[in-house]
Amino acid sequence: MTNLGVFRKYIESYLKSHPKIRQDMTLMVRQLASENKGIPMEIYCFTKTTAWVEYESIQSDIFDHLYSTATFFDIEIFQEPGGKDFSIAFDRNNVT
């Protein structure tokens, strides 16, 4: 098992124990095709609510949790760098 495979199983287990996720409907966590930016993960599940604001809150909480636990699996979350990232990088390179 790889750290990514263990993380995938962790996500699945986390969702199966989440009180706001429906357990009687499809719940799936899978790796998608590898890209030059990394290996995307797809999370497919349903909340117990259809109220939009509550749904968005549940989704945000789940991703906050997963972002914070990824480091325990020695996994880095990739995000496209923005202008501020480049400014910081160039400023650090000019410091002597």
Side-chain angles (χ1 to χ4, degrees):
M1 262 249 142
T2 64
N3 57 345
L4 188 57
V6 174
F7 186 52
R8 185 176 48 80
K9 284 296 191 183
Y10 172 79
I11 296 169
E12 189 176 305
S13 176
Y14 173 72
L15 294 172
K16 285 182 177 180
S17 66
H18 197 289
K20 296 182 179 180
I21 297 295
R22 292 195 54 169
Q23 302 303 313
D24 61 332
M25 296 182 76
T26 302
L27 189 156
M28 176 176 53
V29 181
R30 66 185 187 131
Q31 295 169 215
L32 300 177
S34 180
E35 301 176 347
N36 62 342
K37 299 175 186 175
I39 302 173
M41 299 283 285
E42 180 179 67
I43 298 171
Y44 192 92
C45 61
F46 295 87
T47 60
K48 291 182 177 180
T49 183
T50 57
W52 188 15
V53 173
E54 187 178 358
Y55 164 80
E56 290 293 335
S57 178
I58 294 166
Q59 178 178 298
S60 295
D61 289 345
I62 288 169
F63 279 96
D64 284 348
H65 176 79
L66 298 179
Y67 291 147
S68 67
T69 57
T71 56
F72 293 109
F73 298 89
D74 198 25
I75 291 175
E76 294 181 20
I77 304 296
F78 177 82
Q79 182 176 346
E80 284 286 338
K84 185 175 179 181
D85 298 312
F86 290 115
S87 295
I88 291 169
F90 288 128
D91 285 345
R92 288 183 184 157
N93 290 334
N94 290 330
V95 175
T96 56

